Amino acid sequence: MDKFPMNLLAEWNYHRAPLHRGYTRKYLVVDLGKGDGQYSHTIHDIDGDMIDTFTGGRGFGLRILWDSVNPQSRWDSPENALVISGGPICGITQYPGTGKTYTVFLSPLTEQTYNSNAGGYFGPYLKASGFDALAVTGKCPEDVVVSIDGDEGKIRIYAAPTDERNAYDVTEALHGHFAKNEDDKTSISAVTAGRAAEHSWWGALNVSFYDPRRKVARLKQAGRGGGGTVLRDKGILALVVRKSGFTGTENDPADLATLQKVGTKLHREIRNNDDTQCIMRTTGTTHLNKIMNDYDILPVNNFKFGRSEAIGAITPEEYKKLFTQGYADGCWYGCSMACAKTVDGFVLRTGPDKGKKVTVDGPEYETAASLGPNVGIFDPLWTIETNYYADHYALDTISLGTGLAFVCECYELGLLTKEHTNGLDLRFGAGDQIMELIHRMMDGRDDFALAVGKGIRKMKDIFAERYGADREIMEQIGMEGQGLEVSQYRCQESVAQWGGYFLTLKGPQHDEAWVIFMDMVNKQIPTFEDKAEALFYFPNFRLWFSLVGVCKLPWNDVEPSDNRLRYKGIEAAKVPEHVQNYLDIYEAVTGKPLSREGMILQSERVYNYERIFNYRMGKGTRKEHNIPDRALGPVFPDEWNVRKEYFEKKLEEAGINGEGLSVEEKISRLQAHRRGEWEKLVDAVYARRGWDSNGVPTRKTVERLGLDSPEVLELLEPYWRSGERA
């Protein structure tokens, strides 16, 4: 490695466990010690009970993390583990979207469990190298690279001192160092972070895959929750896995013919339907920009507004002009959805790499919205540049954009001044100033940039204590839940999506439940019981992807052409034919038949286990399910006045007589009404999930799901005895 020579610190041989029907039944723990240079590793068996209860992926990660930490552990405790696992379907190449990897850890933002997913090759190569999961614990006094060589059967730890700690530099060097030649670079996958992750709690994990046509190592992000912050806190420069000669049958599936048959069917749907449905192969997820704007769901100026007249500058057509077309842009082999779009030959205009020509992965919708209209900027070139630097520095683009939008609104409200921001004029739309703040977040020398990088929840404390900012206003407009910044959908007018964001396990992230359209647009779930049912089914169904190692996009971002004719309402939203595809490929890989009910049961076990885990960490109760006023409705008169007739009608529907009231009084009345609706929703959702009114799983639920292990009972018995409402 030219940029930083590596010195071997420890090396162990291991026998590569064979993959059989999706599992190696082994997991690896690498302990970096406590700054004493005492490195160790252990290889553990995964028995049938662990598979039956936790399935794989995120489930294995939670089980392994539970064993590593204790109730007093925090994100920066040595025993906090980064656990990476794919799941039994992860690594097949016959069906699109089957290379997903899940990383589980204690989060600096939420102070409880977090799981974040990424594409790239790490998960499949880890399995092919003999391990269903990798956990790294402890801390190093120096930067290290942990490598697993599945060809040689060796685990190594290297010292890797370097000033080049940003993601693209490190990843490029690692692919060059560990590969035998140019062709062998596809055999390498690395997990890296960047220098901003050393200072910010928004640190992202970058998972690599080598693109032989572009001859660059590309990055997919497990961005949310601060996993990159944990990686750098442990002194890890990178995790690397090497496995050559991957064929796509390494899982040793029970029924390869069915995998091929079901995969061919979906490939055909993508080819025939994508151009008239979600245009993923040409624009990726940026096709959502215009759709969200049309329905007043696009976040504009810190979620104040849901649409903008400037939308024409960031439509999918505009991004299509910038994305390279005609490449097989999948982040794992065999994915014909090809949504991992890139901008090639992009010349950077700012920062330490100014003038450099680079390949930028993305932006995807969440980045295009967060580092776009949410900060008041409608310039794709600016968004692409921030996308590059966010990945390079290792900043989660969702939290970054939502956090910067909060800062911009605080500045415009006068809660922050140039004196506080160290000379930056951080108004909405001030692209040069916002870009400069992002660069300052990387080097860790600016006190204001350091405060911003701690996230909205911590910013509220710092801004109030340090600058005298109005705490009440910040609570109203700070778009976070459980300490996590909201992802890029404006949920004010969807009661169900309030729950889809703010009644989640880990904070407001769209991968748990996106029910806005069925609630707000299609009016398919009118009662609280209907909404609760949706907020039971969809979070559990979507969680299943994280157990087996598959991507959500091939589920409903392309549909059978007759899906809406054959099925109505909620059933159509489930895309039943694709649900059956997943059941078929699960059985084809594992040899175990699975019903729709069994699929939900697998997820429900892990969903409730994670809730119990959060309770163990001092969270996991009703008080953690906070929702800011901005998520419920207008906060200021300009928000009301831009849709005056609409909100007047909503006031009337709520049975509130607005005659003679000022706009501020109308907002207050509507907020109070919606706050009451929120409490009703919480009660209904908790009841459907089998939790008590405090949000803790009941004894009946724990026993029904087979989670009544001695350690869980020891944790919950005192709570139940104190008066659980069963």
Side-chain angles (χ1 to χ4, degrees), residues 446-462:
D446 183 284
D447 63 336
F448 180 75
L450 286 171
V452 171
K454 295 299 186 288
I456 291 175
R457 178 166 285 192
K458 189 65 174 177
M459 271 192 266
K460 289 184 287 190
D461 292 335
I462 296 172

Side-chain angles (χ1 to χ4, degrees), residues 301-595:
N301 290 16
N302 195 30
F303 298 86
K304 285 186 73 171
F305 312 113
R307 68 169 68 203
S308 171
E309 295 299 321
I311 187 63
I314 60 168
T315 61
E317 290 78 17
E318 293 303 311
Y319 271 105
K320 183 178 178 181
K321 296 174 186 175
L322 299 167
F323 290 144
T324 304
Q325 301 297 325
Y327 276 33
D329 281 325
C331 63
W332 175 240
Y333 295 116
C335 188
S336 54
M337 183 156 276
C339 66
K341 311 314 295 179
T342 66
V343 180
D344 289 303
F346 185 81
V347 179
L348 296 165
R349 301 175 293 183
T350 70
D353 289 345
K354 181 178 180 180
K356 185 177 180 180
K357 188 179 288 187
V358 298
T359 291
V360 183
D361 280 283
E364 299 179 0
Y365 165 73
E366 296 289 337
T367 304
S370 63
L371 296 170
N374 209 13
V375 290
I377 295 175
F378 293 80
D379 176 1
L381 298 180
W382 187 91
T383 298
I384 291 164
E385 181 137 344
T386 55
N387 190 161
Y388 170 83
Y389 277 118
D391 293 349
H392 195 38
Y393 299 158
L395 289 167
D396 167 30
T397 57
I398 297 176
S399 280
L400 176 63
T402 298
L404 292 174
F406 171 74
V407 169
C408 288
E409 187 166 8
C410 286
Y411 188 89
E412 292 202 350
L413 290 170
L415 306 181
L416 299 172
T417 68
K418 270 191 177 182
E419 182 181 357
H420 303 143
T421 66
N422 294 324
L424 295 179
D425 185 359
L426 295 174
R427 302 177 190 279
F428 287 115
D432 291 346
Q433 303 290 292
I434 297 170
M435 185 74 77
E436 173 60 23
L437 177 57
I438 294 171
H439 291 313
R440 292 182 186 183
M441 291 174 68
M442 181 270 291
D443 63 28
R445 291 178 292 180
D446 183 284
D447 63 336
F448 180 75
L450 286 171
V452 171
K454 295 299 186 288
I456 291 175
R457 178 166 285 192
K458 189 65 174 177
M459 271 192 266
K460 289 184 287 190
D461 292 335
I462 296 172
F463 293 175
E465 294 166 9
R466 188 182 297 174
Y467 310 133
D470 188 310
R471 184 60 184 252
E472 183 179 354
I473 292 175
M474 291 191 293
E475 291 292 351
Q476 289 178 305
I477 65 173
M479 289 295 281
E480 60 87 9
Q482 301 181 65
L484 183 74
E485 286 72 26
V486 176
S487 68
Q488 304 307 305
Y489 300 97
R490 190 168 175 266
C491 67
Q492 288 185 356
E493 304 312 307
S494 171
V495 175
Q497 190 57 33
W498 299 349
Y501 266 160
F502 297 98
L503 293 179
T504 50
L505 291 171
K506 60 184 184 180
Q509 166 65 5
H510 57 282
D511 66 352
E512 186 160 317
W514 195 86
V515 291
I516 292 178
F517 264 41
M518 66 180 67
D519 183 39
M520 185 185 86
V521 178
N522 299 326
K523 313 295 184 185
Q524 294 165 333
I525 44 178
T527 69
F528 283 107
E529 289 72 22
D530 294 331
K531 298 179 201 305
E533 185 60 38
L535 291 170
F536 170 81
Y537 175 83
F538 286 101
N540 280 304
F541 174 73
R542 285 170 173 249
L543 186 149
W544 191 81
F545 297 140
S546 71
L547 302 182
V548 298
V550 302
C551 176
K552 165 260 173 191
L553 297 182
W555 159 53
N556 70 347
D557 282 84
V558 65
E559 297 180 358
S561 55
D562 62 350
N563 182 59
R564 303 285 163 167
L565 297 175
R566 292 173 60 192
Y567 306 101
K568 303 299 180 184
I570 293 257
E571 196 63 18
K574 294 178 180 179
V575 196
E577 188 174 319
H578 286 180
V579 175
Q580 188 59 49
N581 286 353
Y582 289 117
L583 301 177
D584 290 343
I585 63 174
Y586 177 86
E587 182 175 358
V589 171
T590 66
K592 299 178 182 178
L594 185 66
S595 65

Side-chain angles (χ1 to χ4, degrees), residues 7-13 30-32 37-41 145-147 154-159:
N7 302 312
L8 187 65
L9 299 174
E11 178 180 87
W12 305 283
N13 296 319
V30 175
D31 186 354
L32 301 176
Q38 299 298 308
Y39 309 107
S40 64
H41 83 291
V145 172
V146 178
S147 88
K154 290 185 181 292
I155 303 159
R156 299 182 176 99
I157 299 177
Y158 299 91

Side-chain angles (χ1 to χ4, degrees), residues 588-609:
V589 171
T590 66
K592 299 178 182 178
L594 185 66
S595 65
R596 294 186 188 186
E597 294 76 18
M599 170 191 276
I600 298 302
L601 184 60
Q602 284 181 333
S603 295
E604 198 183 356
R605 287 193 189 102
V606 175
Y607 197 97
N608 280 270
Y609 185 79

